Amino acid sequence: MSTLTTPDAVRARAAELDAADPLAGYRERFVPMGEGRGAEAGEVLAYLDGNSLGRPLKAAGEALDRIVREAWGTRLIRSWDEQWMDLPLRLGDRVGEVALGAAPGQVVVADSTTVMIYKFLRAGLEAARTADPARRQIVVDTENFPTDRYIAEGIAAECDAELVWIEPDPATGVTVDEVREAVGPATAVVLLSHVAYKSAWIADLPGITRAVHEAGALVLWDLCHSAGVIPVDLDAHEVDLAVGCTYKYLNGGPGAPAFGYVAARHQASMRQPIQGWMGHAEPFRMGPGYEPSPGMRRFISGTPPVLGMVPLGEMVELLAEAGMPAVTAKAADLTAFVVEVAEGLLARHGVRVDSPADPARRGGHITLGHPDSRELTARLWEAGVVPDFRNPDGIRIGMSPLSTSFAEVAEGLLVLDGLLAGRG
């Protein structure tokens, strides 16, 4: 039973946690949320949506200014030869090293998450069917993010493939046993999210990957809600394919390009379906036919979004400096604090915790359930507290460990308490 049943207790606990936080100093690296004029002036009191869009680093603005003045402003097109052509691969290697547990030569930064999932799912399906024509099934779950489900539906229609649906408990997520029941000799690819976007359930990535491989199939992991906050260790667990966005915990900014991982053992056998000139073995030959580049370059299609990679590069270096273990530990402390407040102060208003109780099974956010969540979220925004709403009745509290203090979380939850008590 939580002892955090009063605002004073909540604030005291937050102060205690902030005083012991080894990452507290990193908050100063981010652009301030306002100038102290208050919520009435549109300022943010508590930003609790870092798992949707991470806050910008001060260094990101400086780096963007620098590239405009120098690499783009003075070097102009020469910068393609000097640094930009290999940027998707160089930055991909760094993302792989710092956040994904991936050796060099297996990660590329390019395109949106939607496009990357399409390319990798389609490539995996074709590779599996080429090896065994009987493999024509794509396994996906009903609780996955809409993009993943929609892409799977579209590819199944395009390629005369069959969808096999797992229907997990929405309060938790897909389990190893559910995957074992869904896969078989006809399975080509299994597409799942590592961290569930609603409940924050962490799937058993090692166990599920093994179960898929035992069935002779490939697995494609969506890492959007784990990259940069939860360790994944792709190489160690022999993952086949993975895709993730970079604007959440990797703070790449709105529209920042996604990353994609293809295990080295699969690269030569996979033909990506969007054959653009940048993925050609000799892009400037501009010849009559397509010849894929060796390695991860073959998974690039069009011109890389150079400006969109700049903030990502800054955040990856900050993560490397802080260390992923410390970031993951603080994420666990932040979510535990939200649970404490929810089970103490907020429970009297009928608020429930819709995320796993076991800290080892939940990612970097907590979903709080309440019948009036949609209206409450709108009113929180008006008060300068920014979480997000998820159907059917969830308020998702997403905290980015390097930019979020416990005091900030406390003040946001106290505003919610006030609204529920009729004080807002």
Side-chain angles (χ1 to χ4, degrees):
M1 183 91 177
S2 172
T3 60
L4 303 184
T5 57
T6 68
D8 285 346
V10 170
R11 289 192 174 103
R13 177 63 174 149
E16 176 186 322
L17 290 166
D18 277 329
D21 178 15
L23 302 180
Y26 284 94
R27 291 196 299 277
E28 300 302 317
R29 308 278 193 98
F30 293 83
V31 174
M33 292 185 292
E35 299 175 357
R37 293 176 295 176
E40 297 80 4
E43 289 188 359
V44 174
L45 171 69
Y47 187 58
L48 306 179
D49 208 4
N51 63 327
S52 285
L53 179 66
R55 289 173 53 194
L57 282 169
K58 294 175 182 177
E62 296 164 0
L64 284 166
D65 177 69
R66 192 162 53 249
I67 197 172
V68 169
R69 288 185 292 102
E70 298 172 6
W72 181 13
T74 60
R75 298 308 296 165
L76 298 166
I77 200 168
R78 293 173 292 183
S79 287
W80 281 110
D81 291 327
E82 294 167 354
Q83 55 183 296
W84 293 340
M85 282 294 289
D86 291 330
L87 182 58
L89 303 174
R90 290 200 315 273
L91 184 54
D93 282 349
R94 192 65 173 139
V95 172
E97 177 187 4
V98 173
L100 307 178
Q106 299 177 106
V107 181
V108 67
V109 176
D111 305 310
S112 69
T113 308
T114 300
V115 172
M116 291 292 271
I117 291 176
Y118 173 84
K119 293 200 297 190
F120 283 26
L121 183 57
R122 181 82 181 263
L125 174 64
E126 181 178 332
R129 291 211 296 198
T130 298
D132 182 354
R135 294 191 178 275
R136 53 182 302 275
Q137 292 181 343
I138 299 170
V139 176
V140 66
D141 72 283
T142 55
E143 290 297 313
N144 209 339
F145 191 74
T147 282
D148 301 60
R149 294 184 278 111
Y150 301 161
I151 291 171
E153 290 173 6
I155 289 176
E158 287 177 1
C159 301
D160 189 30
E162 178 187 355
L163 291 179
V164 175
W165 292 96
I166 296 173
E167 298 184 14
D169 181 347
T172 56
V174 179
T175 66
V176 175
D177 288 342
E178 288 171 327
V179 171
R180 288 191 190 281
E181 290 177 9
V183 298
T187 307
V189 187
V190 177
L191 169 61
L192 299 171
S193 284
H194 183 213
V195 173
Y197 81 103
K198 285 193 286 190
S199 71
W201 167 267
I202 301 178
D204 183 353
L205 183 148
I208 289 175
T209 299
R210 284 194 300 271
V212 172
H213 288 171
E214 287 166 5
L218 302 172
V219 65
L220 168 54
W221 285 102
D222 180 333
L223 304 179
C224 286
H225 282 276
S226 50
V229 69
I230 301 296
V232 286
D233 296 326
L234 299 179
D235 286 354
H237 300 309
E238 298 185 328
V239 168
D240 304 300
L241 306 160
V243 170
C245 67
T246 65
Y247 46 78
K248 299 182 188 295
Y249 298 110
L250 293 175
N251 300 69
F259 64 82
Y261 165 93
V262 181
R265 64 186 180 277
H266 292 308
Q267 291 174 16
S269 64
M270 294 219 172
R271 183 183 68 85
Q272 72 115 323
I274 305 178
Q275 297 182 168
W277 78 296
M278 279 285 186
H280 194 280
E282 297 182 69
F284 291 100
R285 189 177 71 186
M286 301 183 181
Y290 183 78
E291 178 186 345
S293 174
M296 283 303 293
R297 179 169 286 281
R298 69 176 53 204
F299 297 99
I300 301 175
S301 297
T303 304
V306 172
L307 296 181
M309 296 186 201
V310 172
L312 169 61
E314 296 298 324
M315 185 60 188
V316 170
E317 295 309 318
L318 192 69
L319 278 174
E321 179 183 327
M324 277 298 301
V327 170
T328 300
K330 183 175 178 182
D333 290 342
L334 284 164
T335 57
F337 178 58
V338 175
V339 171
E340 278 189 89
V341 177
E343 292 181 344
L345 188 69
L346 301 180
R348 60 190 173 136
H349 305 299
V351 172
R352 65 182 188 275
V353 177
D354 285 348
S355 295
D358 181 358
R361 286 260 68 89
R362 67 176 181 244
H365 67 272
I366 292 289
T367 297
L368 303 178
H370 188 276
D372 299 326
S373 287
R374 187 186 295 273
E375 178 189 354
L376 285 166
T377 301
R379 294 178 67 191
L380 285 167
W381 277 43
E382 291 174 359
V385 177
V386 185
D388 63 10
F389 170 77
R390 284 294 177 262
N391 279 318
D393 61 356
I395 301 174
R396 196 173 65 170
I397 310 296
M399 301 151 290
S400 189
L402 293 181
S403 61
T404 308
S405 69
F406 292 92
E408 181 182 353
V409 175
E411 294 307 316
L413 295 178
L414 289 175
V415 171
L416 175 59
D417 175 60
L419 292 174
L420 288 164
R423 299 194 301 271

